[in-house]
Amino acid sequence: MDTTLRLGRRRSAAWALVGGPAAVGLGLVAHLVSGGAAPPAGVLAALVVLVSLLASAVARAPVAPWMPALGSGALQQALHLAFTALAGPNGPLFPAAGHAHHGAVTTAPAGAVQAAPLDFHLLVVAHIAAALLTVLALTAAARAAASLRAPGSPQYAHEALPSAGIP
């Protein structure tokens, strides 16, 4: 099997296993820290699967070294919008509790518990940090996958060399 193909498959598997949970988990933490609400667990699981599939596909494509960072930033923006839209009773699809961005006016029925307003600056910084940490996790996963030994392959480079009668 071609070494490049084998490394591409390893990187694809590593990114699928790490990319989805890292991006969605860190994005959720960023969203919660800045005052947002969490979507239901089923929605989070679906987002993890979708992002893992996307990461696996991107890992096989030839991309410039800076592209995963740009993609991770765009993904964090998309995840923020998904968390906001799908956050159950706190999202705009269900405006009962009034999730709002900085400067937005919220209305809630009398007696409803109003969510804490989002701190826009904290939101941006938290999602940028989540994007950068996701890229670091993907890089570490790709390096770990590349360093794995195939079964039966030599552990050290000198074991792969033919012996010329030298013990």
Side-chain angles (χ1 to χ4, degrees):
M1 181 183 283
D2 184 37
T3 305
T4 307
L5 179 62
R6 187 175 30 217
L7 288 175
R9 286 183 179 169
R10 285 183 187 173
R11 185 172 78 171
S12 178
W15 278 28
L17 289 173
V18 173
V24 174
L26 291 168
L28 179 63
V29 168
H31 198 72
L32 293 174
V33 164
S34 59
V43 172
L44 291 174
L47 288 171
V48 167
V49 170
L50 287 174
V51 173
S52 292
L53 289 172
L54 177 65
S56 177
V58 169
R60 289 181 179 240
V63 295
W66 53 269
M67 291 289 287
L70 182 66
S72 183
L75 180 64
Q76 285 298 317
Q77 177 65 32
L79 285 172
H80 167 72
L81 295 174
F83 293 156
T84 302
L86 302 171
N90 293 331
L93 296 180
F94 312 98
H99 171 88
H101 290 107
H102 181 71
V105 176
T106 61
T107 59
V113 177
Q114 187 118 3
L118 241 61
D119 181 357
F120 181 73
H121 300 293
L122 179 60
L123 176 84
V124 170
V125 170
H127 277 291
I128 288 172
L132 293 174
L133 289 173
T134 300
V135 170
L136 289 175
L138 290 176
T139 302
R143 284 187 180 159
S147 69
L148 291 176
R149 265 185 348 110
S153 66
Q155 184 174 359
Y156 301 103
H158 73 276
E159 292 176 2
L161 300 175
S163 63
I166 302 173

